[in-house]
Every structure is written in C-alpha cells, then in structure tokens.
Amino acid sequence: MMLKEAIYHRPKLNWAYAADKRTLHLRVRTKRDDAVEVNAIVGDKYAWEESRWTAPMRKFASDALFDYWETAVVPPYRRLRYAFHFRNTDEDLYLTEKGFEDALPDHSLEFFDFPFLNPADVFAPPSWVKDAVFYQIFPERYANGDPSLDPAGVEPWGGKPTPGNFFGGDLKGVLDHLDHIEKLGVNAIYFTPLFEATTNHKYDTRDYMKVDPQFGTNEQLKEFVDACHKRGIRVLLDAVFNHAGKTFAPFVDVLEKGADSPFADWFHVREFPLRVVDGIPTYETFAFEPIMPKLNTEHPEVKKYLLEVARYWVEEIGIDGWRLDVANEVDHAFWREFRQTVKAANPDAYILGEIWHDSIMWLQGDQFDAVMNYPFTNAVLDFFAKGKLDAAGFANAIGSQLAAYPQTVTETAFNLLDSHDTPRLLTLCGDDERRMRLAALLQLTFPGVPCIYYGDEVGMNGEGDPDCRKCMVWEPEEQNAGLLRFYSETIALRKAHEALRGAEIAFLQAGGGSDLLVYARGAEDGERFVVALNAGDADASVAVVVGGSGVWTDAYTGAAASVKAGQLHASLPAYGYAVWRRAGK
Ligand code: CA
C-alpha cells in the first residue's frame, strides 16, 4: 500500500507551471522509495476523449521523506486537464482534484486543470542570466584609482576596516582592474550601492539619482558600463528601495517639519515628531535602525520617484539590472510596477531580490527573475565548511530546494557562498583552502548562477562585517596564485559546457554518515559530468556506475579516467576532488 498521506500536488506554483511558452511541467510528491512508477494522464478539456495520453514521470529529486516526480508536457492547444497514476508492487492508485481513486473518473471535470498557458504569465528571466558568473564588488574596498575623490580622513590601502572608516575605492579603480576581472572569467559584476550616501557601505541613500562623489560621476559610471559591455561583462546595481537614509532630502524635511512636511506620508510614521523612544523609532525603519527610514512604496509620489530611479539607470546609464535590498519587506504591488518599468526600459534587464527565505511568491513571472539563494548557501556551508551535514543530509537539503521551485527558477537562482554581510568563505572553512575549493567547485558546477565575492579568488579571508570588507589585495606576491588558477579554470569549465549550467543533477553517492559526495550533471544520453568531492579528512573511494558508451576523461586535464565494468573508479585524498567528463554525441 502506498502512503497516501505523503502524496501531494497542487496546480500552479512549483507543481504545475509553464516552463516556456509551449511547455508545462507537472510535478507530484510521494513518500520516498514508495512508488515505483508514476504517470500523468493528460488531455485537452474541450476534446477530452480524443486527446488523452499518458506522460511518464521521472523522479527528479528526493529528500529525507519524499520523492518528487516530474514530466514535461506540450499541450496541443495550451490547455491541460490532468491526473496522476501511481504504481508500486501491489497497487495502482489515481489522484485527481477530487482525491484518490482506484480508477480514473469518466468526466474530465474531476481532473486537475491548467486552464490556459498564457505567454504573459510565463516566468522568463533574461536568457543571458543562466550563463552568467557574477563577481560581487564592494566599491569602497576594490581599488583606489582616483585619490582626488577620496573622502576626508581616508586611511592607507590595506588597513584594518572598521564600521566607519574609508579607504578610497572608486569606479576608476574597478575600471583599472577589468583585466583581472575578465581573466578570472566572470561575466557580470554586482556592485553593492554606488549612490550618494554617508556611510562606507552606502546603504543609507542620500540621492538615488547620483553616483556618490567618492566613487565618481554618473557619466563615469556610464563609461564604466560601456567598457564592461565591450568585454562582454554585465553590470548590476544595488537598489535600496525598502528604506532611505537619514540624509535623504524628503526624510530631512519630515524630521524638521513633522506632520506639516509635504513628505510626511512618504514614510511610515507611527507618531510625530520623529524620535527614538527606548531604542525604538516612532517611524518604521529597517531593523529598528533610525538612519534607515522605511519608504512608503504605496504612496503615488514615492512610487513615481522610485520608478523613475529604476528607469533612469537602466535606460540612460545602461546597467543590466537591479539587485533589490530587503526586497521582501516591500509590497508586491510595487514590485509588479517596478518590473513593468524596468522591462520597458530594457527587456533583458535582470531583477534579483534579496530574500533569505522561501521566495516562491516573488518568482511567478510578475516580479523578480531570481532571488539570492541562501538556502543553497547554508546547505553548502553546513556540509563543506562546518561539517554539520553528512553527504546524505546535504543531498536531501538540495533535493528539497530543487523541488521547491520551478526548474526555470533553479537555473537562474543566485548562488552565493559569502558576501559583504557574512564572514568570507575561506574563514568559514577554518582557513582550510582544500575545503574552500570543494565548496567553490560545487558552486561552479551546480544549477544556478554562481557569485564570487571579490578577493575570495586570491585567498582573502575575513570574519563578519567589517572584517569581510577588507581592501582587495593586489600585490601578486600576496595573492594565492594557485587558488586564482583554480577559480579561473573552473569558471572556464562551466562557461564551456552547458551541461554544467542546466538544471539536470543526480546524486550518485551521498551516503548517511559519509563525507563523500558524487553527482552527475547533464543528460544521461548526452554530454555528462561526474563530480566527486571528498569533504572528509580520510581517503575515500569513488565507484559509480556510469553506463552507456563514450569515453570518460578528467575534465581539467583531458587524461583518461579509470572505468572498469561500467564503473568510474578513483581514490580521493582527504578534501580531494575530481571532475570527469564524457562528451556528448
Ligand atoms: Ca579614490
């Protein structure tokens, strides 16, 4: 008997969605290792008898409790009625919208319904995003290219960062180092805020229409973006639309005039005058931070102002998209208008939300193209850096994540391992470069868009803010050349092979209590990679069935792999890894 209580489906969201303008993906959940076969019975509601067919489903992910099944269907008239059929050794079972049945009902009304595949509703991020490798730059700390712009009291490059000090990084500095960025192989830059503000991190915006004079001018940013585009590098800016800064002119006016200010409704004021009582501001802010007053994005004037900001930088400066700070605390209605505005300015612009939790409601095609994938971050760090998960625990965590979102979302998820908000990856790995390489290798061979935090590639370490915001190390003798080579070679590998960028992933070895993780990427009958990562401090043996024909080689060196009786064999040292490739037909 199959466990009915574990079986789950619901139309829309991650369970029934348009993968493109013709194709629907249907998914259903069963108890792990319960059903041996699952099918979708599908048809057109207006030609039910003639159009019905059976679509076999494949198990595309598993976690500790469940298996997840998926099939891709191209409905001839873009409408679909469907039910599910489950089989195990002793039972056949059907699931319709009415519930469980022993046989299929006669009437199609009892089936699940995907009413019509309207192209306007399809989640469709820009096509370039899935092939991007991002590089995050904290502009105050990347390079000081123009000392004449330095703020007063700038400290010598390479000093110890504090929450408030400055080192003089600027746009010219980044421009001067585009060769480094291009050589690393990344093809997109994500800047933390560049707009005028008082702090070194610039998250307290004073003027959303102006590059901070410490970094340069709007014209210089345009020149910078043009220079990047010539090298095939895209540029993403940080938009802080949840809250403004304490020097934002409308806020200054409300501070002075209280309820009489024409901007009084631009913010969420609980009580005038604005003040802080026992540490709690009398107005809504970001995280009780008095210098970061929350903007009222429902107010027509605020909306008009922020949407003009969104348009200006995309249309007139040519940036390739926005990363949205604290995106989940802003209303959905605002984000829908924001998307319309940004896509009207450039249909290829990328909209990336900062959300640390389940984000499905922002990823329906009407708001964001992607979110920062912190659940991925946590799973990778727990396995490779902290040793909190074994290989099975890691594979289960990833299985849950793959099941939680449409495939199209997984392919463009923004996969970061560290940032200006967290300790650096090397530090999280206990300053063990071998562990760091494993985590980075997983990130760079995984579905979703990898993002590398500046300086990680040359071996920079650092505890949480402000230590993770140290000045970029430029002296070659202080850079870790081996690590830099590893990053650029692995990025090149990802860029050269579509199989490493698609959604297809299968765990081949991920045992309970084991530190050895082996997974395959790409289709079983096409170009395929096998990645083996030993996250333990003892040697580990890899033996995985690869089947099929074709020659397996070391993906980095091209040397022949050891394949015996259809099995790939290798012995990995502590914290060792291997990547094998079989060419497509
Ligand atoms: Ca400077």
Side-chain angles (χ1 to χ4, degrees), residues 143-151 154 167-170 214:
N144 189 349
D146 185 350
S148 75
L149 303 179
D150 290 356
V154 122
F167 293 94
D170 48 44
Q214 173 191 347

Side-chain angles (χ1 to χ4, degrees), residues 145-475:
D146 185 350
S148 75
L149 303 179
D150 290 356
V154 122
E155 294 179 27
W157 197 257
K160 189 176 168 55
T162 68
N165 63 355
F166 290 86
F167 293 94
D170 48 44
L171 279 173
K172 176 73 167 50
V174 187
L175 186 70
D176 291 344
H177 288 286
L178 280 184
D179 281 349
H180 170 81
I181 292 168
E182 191 175 358
K183 219 172 125 196
L184 178 60
V186 296
N187 52 16
I189 292 171
Y190 148 44
F191 275 116
T192 58
L194 288 174
F195 303 153
E196 187 173 31
T198 64
T199 55
N200 54 31
H201 52 71
K202 311 292 178 194
Y203 275 100
D204 57 322
T205 317
R206 185 206 308 269
D207 187 345
Y208 288 86
M209 295 300 277
K210 188 177 166 198
V211 167
D212 193 289
Q214 173 191 347
F215 297 149
T217 62
N218 293 16
E219 291 68 35
Q220 273 179 308
L221 178 61
K222 187 169 175 18
E223 286 162 24
F224 176 83
V225 169
D226 290 345
C228 285
H229 287 174
K230 282 201 185 95
R231 295 174 184 245
I233 297 168
R234 317 245 178 185
V235 180
L236 198 71
L237 296 197
D238 210 322
V240 191
F241 287 176
N242 177 63
H243 51 268
K246 68 172 179 203
T247 55
F248 180 53
F251 184 66
V252 173
D253 200 71
V254 182
L255 273 178
E256 279 170 17
K257 300 175 190 152
D260 296 331
S261 164
F263 301 104
D265 294 336
W266 278 45
F267 305 92
H268 297 265
V269 181
R270 284 196 308 273
E271 198 187 307
F272 290 101
L274 305 192
R275 60 199 190 285
V276 179
V277 181
D278 298 330
I280 310 285
T282 62
Y283 48 99
E284 307 296 351
T285 64
F286 171 64
F288 298 120
E289 181 52 74
I291 69 161
M292 294 180 174
K294 182 170 169 61
L295 284 159
N296 179 6
T297 44
E298 292 181 38
H299 192 283
E301 286 168 23
V302 175
K303 247 187 343 197
K304 192 170 166 229
Y305 174 76
L306 293 178
L307 294 179
E308 171 57 12
V309 172
R311 184 204 66 80
Y312 169 78
W313 296 95
V314 173
E315 198 163 289
E316 298 189 30
I317 305 298
I319 67 162
D320 298 286
W322 290 105
R323 178 266 189 188
L324 307 168
D325 191 57
V326 199
N328 55 349
E329 295 190 19
V330 176
D331 60 283
H332 290 283
F334 175 81
W335 289 135
R336 289 190 185 98
E337 285 192 53
F338 174 86
R339 182 182 183 87
Q340 300 281 343
T341 304
V342 169
K343 298 286 176 173
N346 177 5
D348 254 351
Y350 179 42
I351 301 173
L352 169 67
E354 183 205 19
I355 301 185
W356 293 62
H357 296 272
D358 188 298
S359 310
I360 191 89
M361 292 317 294
W362 289 267
L363 296 166
Q364 297 299 304
D366 58 343
Q367 294 166 65
F368 303 162
D369 293 317
V371 296
M372 303 181 88
N373 195 0
Y374 290 101
F376 166 84
T377 315
N378 295 336
V380 173
L381 296 178
D382 282 349
F383 180 52
F384 293 104
K386 300 174 186 168
K388 277 207 230 164
L389 285 176
D390 59 13
F394 175 77
N396 289 338
I398 293 299
S400 294
Q401 292 171 25
L402 295 174
Y405 293 107
Q407 180 185 314
T408 35
V409 169
T410 296
E411 284 171 348
T412 51
F414 194 84
N415 292 339
L416 67 164
L417 296 180
D418 57 354
S419 73
H420 63 292
D421 282 332
T422 71
R424 281 189 177 270
L425 180 57
L426 184 55
T427 298
L428 290 165
C429 290
D431 279 308
D432 188 333
E433 185 188 325
R434 300 170 303 170
R435 282 178 182 258
M436 180 184 178
R437 285 190 188 214
L438 295 183
L441 181 54
L442 181 121
Q443 178 196 29
L444 291 167
T445 57
F446 199 79
V449 178
C451 180
I452 296 156
Y453 185 45
Y454 82 93
D456 280 2
E457 77 277 17
V458 294
M460 284 175 64
N461 62 6
E463 298 290 344
D465 170 21
D467 197 40
C468 56
R469 302 173 178 186
K470 285 191 279 204
C471 297
M472 176 70 178
V473 170
W474 288 112
E475 300 77 11

Side-chain angles (χ1 to χ4, degrees), residues 60 402 503-509 518-522 524 528-529:
F60 77 99
L402 295 174
E504 202 94 7
I505 182 163
F507 290 101
L508 307 179
Q509 254 182 287
V518 186
Y519 54 95
R521 297 278 285 127
E524 276 182 53
R528 198 159 165 91
F529 285 80

